[in-house]
Amino acid sequence: ETGVTQTPRHLVMGMTNKKSLKCEQHLGHNAMYWYKQSAKKPLELMFVYNFKEQTENNSVPSRFSPECPNSSHLFLHLHTLQPEDSALYLCASSQGGGSYEQYFGPGTRLTVT
Amino acid sequence: KQEVTQIPAALSVPEGENLVLNCSFTDSAIYNLQWFRQDPGKGLTSLLLIQSSQREQTSGRLNASLDKSSGRSTLYIAASQPGDSATYLCAVSTGGSYIPTFGRGTSLIVHP
């Protein structure tokens, strides 16, 4: 049990669909992150939220829209995705940003058809 | 821009061997370096976190060292076991940024 949960674990969606990924952390952390892990590429940070405020957007296309309603929940809203967006999407949390240890969820395996 | 390289990319060893996994980075102005383990199709499990002021961290059979001046970290695994089979990733957080940079990982197989 990592303390960070993600739903759904698997998702298949068409390019015209709209879906959302959910992440919840039970660790009392203040920072949450979205990462993308594609085959044969290093893990890429997408967004960082610190105390519910977005502090980093790593040049992510607008078809990915994050939402952080509170320090425990993080969403990634998806719309009009492309097949190359198929990947494992990982959520993480830490006590604060930067110098603190990150804890990861199990990920959502997304396939865009 | 920080770049992180992990060598070797893959490693297959018999059970019981002592292993060294390497991580190098180009910008020595780091906050910390973190080693993770990832099992196939799963999330990352944090193994060790070394702050920039530290030289090493130990947890059980794992020991990680950090040499900022040379831009290197090593993860030492003692007496390897089949259960250690996984991909090992290192991530470096550079000063002034919350964006950690990950290496591509070392895929380890320990066979009985």
Side-chain angles (χ1 to χ4, degrees), chain A residues 2 9 33 35 37 40-45 48 50 55-56 58 88 90 97-107 109, chain B residues 4 31-32 34-36 38 40-49 51 87 89 93 96-104:
Chain A
T2 64
R9 295 293 308 277
Y33 310 75
Y35 287 89
Q37 188 174 38
K40 301 180 182 179
K41 287 178 105 175
L43 199 63
E44 300 172 82
L45 181 74
V48 180
N50 205 11
T55 55
E56 295 289 347
N58 199 17
L88 182 67
L90 293 163
S99 62
Y100 293 94
E101 189 171 7
Q102 294 195 13
Y103 294 81
F104 280 76
R109 172 65 65 184
Chain B
V4 179
Y31 271 148
N32 62 44
Q34 193 167 358
W35 282 95
F36 294 91
Q38 186 175 29
K42 303 287 181 64
L44 279 64
T45 300
S46 177
L47 298 174
L48 292 163
L49 172 71
Q51 301 291 355
T87 296
L89 297 157
S93 293
S97 168
Y98 289 145
I99 300 179
T101 303
F102 279 78
R104 292 176 179 269

Side-chain angles (χ1 to χ4, degrees), chain B residues 5-82:
Chain B
T5 304
Q6 290 189 246
I7 295 173
L11 189 59
S12 180
V13 300
E15 182 176 6
E17 280 204 4
N18 299 324
L19 308 172
V20 175
L21 308 183
N22 297 291
C23 174
S24 61
F25 46 94
T26 55
D27 184 350
S28 61
I30 67 170
Y31 271 148
N32 62 44
L33 184 146
Q34 193 167 358
W35 282 95
F36 294 91
R37 167 191 174 134
Q38 186 175 29
D39 293 288
K42 303 287 181 64
L44 279 64
T45 300
S46 177
L47 298 174
L48 292 163
L49 172 71
I50 310 177
Q51 301 291 355
S52 62
S53 59
Q54 297 174 320
R55 297 277 300 181
E56 67 176 343
Q57 284 285 342
T58 298
S59 176
R61 294 183 293 109
L62 305 179
N63 175 277
S65 66
L66 174 64
D67 183 344
K68 277 200 311 179
S69 60
S70 65
R72 292 180 184 178
S73 175
T74 60
L75 178 66
Y76 177 82
I77 303 176
S80 59
Q81 303 171 358

Side-chain angles (χ1 to χ4, degrees), chain A residues 19-90:
Chain A
K19 296 286 184 183
S20 296
L21 309 185
K22 179 182 176 182
C23 175
E24 184 173 0
Q25 59 95 1
H26 312 274
L27 301 169
H29 289 165
N30 297 311
M32 296 187 78
Y33 310 75
W34 277 118
Y35 287 89
K36 176 183 179 182
Q37 188 174 38
S38 306
K40 301 180 182 179
K41 287 178 105 175
L43 199 63
E44 300 172 82
L45 181 74
M46 300 175 72
F47 301 104
V48 180
Y49 278 82
N50 205 11
F51 291 95
K52 301 187 298 178
E53 298 296 322
Q54 186 179 129
T55 55
E56 295 289 347
N57 175 337
N58 199 17
S59 303
V60 180
S62 59
R63 58 186 184 270
F64 295 91
S65 175
E67 179 189 0
C68 188
N70 54 61
S71 294
S72 299
H73 295 86
L74 185 64
F75 295 89
L76 188 62
H77 304 299
L78 316 171
H79 64 96
T80 59
L81 295 191
Q82 305 297 312
E84 60 264 28
D85 297 321
S86 298
L88 182 67
Y89 288 84
L90 293 163

